[in-house]
Amino acid sequence: MIVLSMAACADLDELLINPNGVDPSQADAVSLYNSVQLGFRNVAYSGAVYNFTTGLSRMEAETGGFTYVASHAPTEFSGLWSAAYAGLFPDIDAYIAIAEPLGLDAEVASCKIMKAYSLMMMVDLFDDIPLSQAGMGGADTPNTTPTADTGEEVYAAANTLLDEAIAALASGEGFASAAFDNFYGGDAGDWSSVASTLKLRSVIATKLAGGTGAEVNALVDGGDLIVENGQNFEWTFGTNRVNPNNRHPFYNDSYENNDGAYMSNWYMWLLAESKGFTDPRTRYYFFRQETDLESIYTDQDGANAFDCILTAVPDPEFIPPHYEAISPDMPYCLGSYSQSYFGRDHLNGSGIPPDGAIRTVYGLYPAGGKFDNTLDNGDIQNAGTDGALGAGIAPIWQASWTHFQLAEAVLTMGANGDARQLLEDAIVLSQERVKSFEDKVDGNRILATTPTIITVADTYVADSLWTEYVDFVLAEYDAAGSDDDRMAIVAREYLIALWGNGIEGYNLYRRTCLPANLQPSIDPAAGNPFIRSALYPATHVNLNQNITQKENITTPVFWDTNDASCNY
């Protein structure tokens, strides 16, 4: 009986091997590289990261509750943690082990760059994270309880990966395999520019903890940074609706059958009204389903669709005292009363009224949605048949951001350069990237025939308005009385150009305390501390005995040494 039982167990062990499963020994370089890039997109452009960071930086509405503690829980990053530590990082390590003996140097270098960015982003969110012990033991005896390395140590390791990548790409030889590169088509020079730019990002991110202007100067002198739109580090989405759905997640959110996420009233006001005229990018960023909200206010049934916690319906003459204390121009309950940009105020966690048909949603840039031309506004819950059909981008790093950060380095780190010229170049690059999305929709489509034929192209923003915007900001800059005032303008314009990316806005806010005059929480109750780093995911804390949860949400990451004087 014992012999038979042992034989049966041996047979059972064989049956437990999944014939459809794939382990590292069965992986091929091409398929695994494709998996790495998809995994990187899922980490770098995680919905959890985007929603968390844009809510805190007021780029998108924070609606989970009336306080930060109520809005965010340790469970929200469990998916990100799994995607990074159970998906992306093991795939990258396995790919490098396979590809290095094959001489796939450029592909290996790109993997190190993607890992470096992901590690830095995870530190930006959590600070201390596992690295040196993560993945130890292999598939047979994995280390499931790795200790955390300090955020500073992880940043240093990420920079080492970037240095290794730059050295490997110096030959200029591109991808040798048939692996699909969604970013640069296997171009070694472009990947090298990403690595150098991420080193610049690292220096400026850590300027309060040791990053220096001299380091910035060395990277600029190296001449290998992302400085033109053709070099942008961005993921390109498709237009396929099913099998697979490869459209932009913002498009999936707003252009199917869902009401869509609430836009930030403050951020829409920042573009549409704060300067006394409308930023030309506004109609590309946002799409208004309803362009005459004022007529709805006067209808009592329609008024029930609006929600603010201090008034029954939006009142453009009413500003809560705690809003007015920050700025008399602070919008309340609407992004723009006169232009009908409708979202939600910061930390409005009240119930959801029947407002899906009047919410402002994601537009053409970067979501691949509709261009807001006024003549073609209306319901966009049409099963994915509107606008650019989701052919948007995930902007991980744009050329304009390099110039904004260099302007910051000049003004705050003593780096070389002309901050005014860098600001101008940054705004123009942002404008050009946004305008380029016009090619994604049919400009010849006719919108009206009476009294004359009007096409979509006829409704695009006039060229003169783009130039006038730049001139206005530069005049502001020239009138500023100090570098602090000039930096406030740079930070404001940087936040506007960051639409579609939350982590860089969150980082900007924490290291500079800017932009100033951000919208406060809609509930004026005291005791609402700002989140300076995310709580560890519940899955990580609950399953790893070597990790303890942070004591509170005010614990900063290692490079955030700002004191309590910041108006968080």
Side-chain angles (χ1 to χ4, degrees):
M1 291 177 63
I2 293 174
V3 172
L4 290 173
S5 296
M6 294 176 63
C9 288
D11 291 340
L12 181 60
D13 288 340
E14 293 179 4
L15 291 174
L16 288 175
I17 299 174
N18 180 1
N20 296 317
V22 177
D23 63 45
S25 66
Q26 297 170 294
D28 70 274
V30 171
S31 299
L32 190 51
Y33 185 82
N34 295 342
S35 178
V36 166
Q37 286 216 334
L38 284 170
F40 174 69
R41 182 205 65 186
N42 293 339
V43 170
Y45 211 58
S46 159
V49 176
Y50 183 81
N51 294 333
F52 178 80
T53 56
T54 55
L56 293 172
S57 58
R58 277 70 161 184
M59 296 175 72
E60 194 169 281
E62 183 90 272
T63 61
F66 290 105
T67 65
Y68 293 113
V69 172
S71 297
H72 298 283
T75 55
E76 70 182 307
F77 285 119
S78 293
L80 169 68
W81 202 265
S82 176
Y85 282 100
L88 177 62
F89 295 157
D91 277 358
I92 287 177
D93 294 343
Y95 179 80
I96 291 175
I98 292 173
E100 279 187 332
L102 299 176
L104 303 179
D105 295 340
E107 292 91 329
V108 168
S110 71
C111 284
K112 291 182 177 181
I113 293 168
M114 288 184 278
K115 186 172 185 177
Y117 175 88
S118 301
L119 288 170
M120 289 192 290
M121 188 190 76
M122 296 285 280
V123 171
D124 296 339
L125 289 170
F126 304 106
D127 197 28
D128 299 348
I129 61 171
L131 175 60
S132 59
Q133 293 186 7
M136 289 178 60
D140 295 330
T141 57
N143 179 11
T144 58
T145 57
T147 59
D149 298 79
T150 67
E152 192 169 9
E153 290 171 337
V154 176
Y155 250 66
N159 275 290
T160 297
L161 288 172
L162 295 174
D163 289 335
E164 292 173 357
I166 291 170
L169 295 166
S171 67
E173 294 183 8
F175 284 16
S177 72
F180 175 69
D181 177 12
N182 189 284
F183 294 103
Y184 295 114
D187 187 280
D190 285 331
W191 276 109
S192 180
S193 296
V194 174
S196 296
T197 304
L198 292 182
K199 287 184 67 67
L200 175 71
R201 177 192 188 274
S202 172
V203 172
I204 295 176
T206 60
K207 70 178 185 179
L208 302 177
T212 67
E215 292 175 288
V216 173
N217 293 340
L219 288 165
V220 173
D221 292 343
D224 190 22
L225 299 173
I226 296 174
V227 293
E228 299 293 342
N229 279 325
Q231 301 172 292
N232 289 338
F233 190 34
E234 54 193 30
W235 179 273
T236 302
F237 290 94
T239 62
N240 213 51
R241 187 173 183 236
V242 293
N243 297 323
N245 180 350
N246 65 359
R247 303 170 304 176
H248 198 291
F250 293 177
Y251 190 87
N252 294 328
D253 175 81
S254 298
Y255 290 83
E256 278 290 334
N257 301 306
N258 304 317
D259 287 339
Y262 281 107
M263 299 294 104
S264 163
N265 280 334
W266 178 84
Y267 194 72
M268 291 190 291
W269 167 81
L270 180 65
L271 276 87
E273 287 194 350
S274 66
K275 297 182 178 70
F277 61 93
T278 301
D279 186 321
R281 289 166 289 193
T282 308
R283 289 178 179 265
Y284 296 78
Y285 283 13
F286 309 110
F287 182 83
R288 293 165 298 168
Q289 296 186 84
E290 176 58 60
T291 56
D292 186 16
L293 291 181
E294 189 172 357
S295 64
I296 298 178
Y297 306 157
T298 59
D299 182 288
Q300 188 55 47
D301 291 334
N304 292 332
F306 297 94
D307 168 75
C308 271
I309 64 172
L310 300 179
T311 58
V313 294
D315 180 355
E317 302 301 322
F318 176 78
I319 302 175
H322 68 296
Y323 277 46
E324 195 167 19
I326 294 178
S327 171
D329 298 324
M330 187 70 64
Y332 173 67
C333 208
L334 284 170
S336 168
Y337 181 81
S338 62
Q339 298 185 56
S340 298
Y341 286 97
F342 177 67
R344 273 209 166 175
D345 282 17
H346 189 55
L347 285 171
N348 182 352
S350 56
I352 307 297
D355 61 0
I358 61 176
R359 292 184 198 176
T360 299
V361 298
Y362 300 107
L364 178 59
Y365 177 90
K370 290 186 73 173
F371 173 74
D372 188 340
N373 52 44
T374 305
L375 298 177
D376 196 28
N377 294 70
D379 179 30
I380 44 76
Q381 298 174 4
N382 299 315
T385 58
D386 290 306
L389 305 180
I393 61 167
I396 299 171
W397 194 270
Q398 301 278 288
S400 62
W401 307 351
T402 302
H403 292 269
F404 279 119
Q405 289 215 349
L406 289 175
E408 177 184 341
V410 172
L411 292 171
T412 66
M413 300 174 68
N416 299 333
D418 182 344
R420 185 185 188 276
Q421 185 62 55
L422 288 164
L423 172 63
E424 180 180 1
D425 293 342
I427 297 173
V428 171
L429 283 165
S430 171
Q431 291 180 337
E432 290 176 347
R433 187 67 187 105
V434 171
K435 282 192 292 184
S436 71
F437 268 58
E438 293 174 358
D439 292 340
K440 295 181 178 291
V441 293
D442 183 7
N444 293 320
R445 185 165 64 87
I446 295 174
L447 300 175
T449 57
T450 305
T452 185
I453 295 176
I454 299 177
T455 66
V456 171
D458 294 330
T459 67
Y460 291 145
V461 179
D463 291 341
S464 60
L465 296 179
W466 300 92
T467 304
E468 289 171 11
Y469 181 91
V470 176
D471 292 342
F472 177 89
V473 174
L474 293 179
E476 274 188 309
Y477 186 91
D478 293 338
S482 67
D483 279 350
D484 288 343
D485 293 337
R486 286 183 273 273
M487 183 60 219
I489 295 170
V490 170
R492 182 196 68 202
E493 294 304 309
Y494 186 18
L495 192 72
I496 291 173
L498 282 171
W499 180 236
N501 180 296
I503 188 67
E504 301 305 335
Y506 183 44
N507 289 357
L508 171 71
Y509 187 32
R510 288 180 292 171
R511 74 172 177 267
T512 67
C513 304
L514 296 169
N517 297 337
L518 293 181
Q519 190 178 60
S521 59
I522 195 168
D523 188 336
N528 185 22
F530 183 76
I531 301 177
R532 293 177 71 173
S533 70
L535 297 175
Y536 288 121
T539 52
H540 179 49
V541 175
N542 295 340
L543 300 176
N544 187 344
Q545 62 185 4
N546 290 325
I547 299 296
T548 56
Q549 187 58 273
K550 298 173 184 177
E551 293 184 2
N552 56 63
I553 60 174
T554 61
T555 303
V557 298
F558 83 95
W559 51 255
D560 175 10
T561 62
N562 280 313
D563 57 28
S565 63
C566 283
N567 184 25
Y568 287 122

